[in-house]
């Protein structure tokens, strides 16, 4: 089992920045890829981006490309999501997820952290 804990959410004004962290514990050696998702009120969960540890090259959704940056520290079992130039439409609960395989669905999820961007 892998446990994921997100932190760093909060309230920020439009144009501001936030940095989210996701720390994994448990069988962390089994994680192949970690991802960030978000879910706004009344909307479906949306993929934000992901990081494959062996490649270290993040992948982003078009909606955040150029504004969000994913990085990771495998030694700390922590993945980061640096969010810049935030917009009100970025308001959502942000979730961290991990999977043990190269493809397919994510196996483990964090509890989420709220990000609210005011206009």
């Amino acid at each position: 089992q892998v446990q994921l804990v997100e932190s760093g959410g909060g309230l920020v004004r439009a144009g501001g920045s936030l940095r989210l962290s996701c720390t994994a514990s448990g069988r962390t050696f089994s994680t192949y890829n970690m991802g960030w998702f978000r879910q706004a009120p009344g909307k479906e969960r949306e993929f934000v981006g992901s990081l494959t540890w062996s490649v270290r090259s993040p992948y982003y959704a078009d909606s955040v490309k150029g504004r969000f940056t994913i990085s990771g520290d495998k030694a700390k079992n922590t993945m980061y999501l640096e969010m810049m130039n935030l917009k009100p439409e970025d308001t959502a609960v942000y979730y961290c997820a991990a999977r043990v395989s190269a493809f397919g669905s994510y196996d483990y999820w964090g509890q989420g952290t709220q990000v609210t961007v005011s206009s």
Side-chain angles (χ1 to χ4, degrees), residues 38-88:
R38 65 186 182 184
Q39 187 167 20
K43 295 188 177 181
E44 294 191 353
R45 188 170 57 198
E46 173 190 19
F47 172 78
V48 173
S50 66
L51 177 68
T52 296
W53 289 113
S54 61
V55 178
R56 296 294 183 100
S57 178
Y59 178 80
Y60 301 97
D62 288 342
S63 58
V64 304
K65 207 173 286 184
R67 299 189 298 122
F68 290 11
T69 301
I70 294 174
S71 61
D73 187 336
K74 196 64 173 79
K76 296 181 179 180
N77 293 311
T78 299
M79 178 178 63
Y80 305 97
L81 178 64
E82 188 83 38
M83 303 183 292
M84 301 177 63
N85 190 23
L86 283 161
K87 305 174 181 180

Side-chain angles (χ1 to χ4, degrees), residues 82-102:
E82 188 83 38
M83 303 183 292
M84 301 177 63
N85 190 23
L86 283 161
K87 305 174 181 180
E89 51 263 43
D90 293 318
T91 295
V93 177
Y94 283 71
Y95 296 92
C96 170
R99 66 173 187 241
V100 301
S101 59

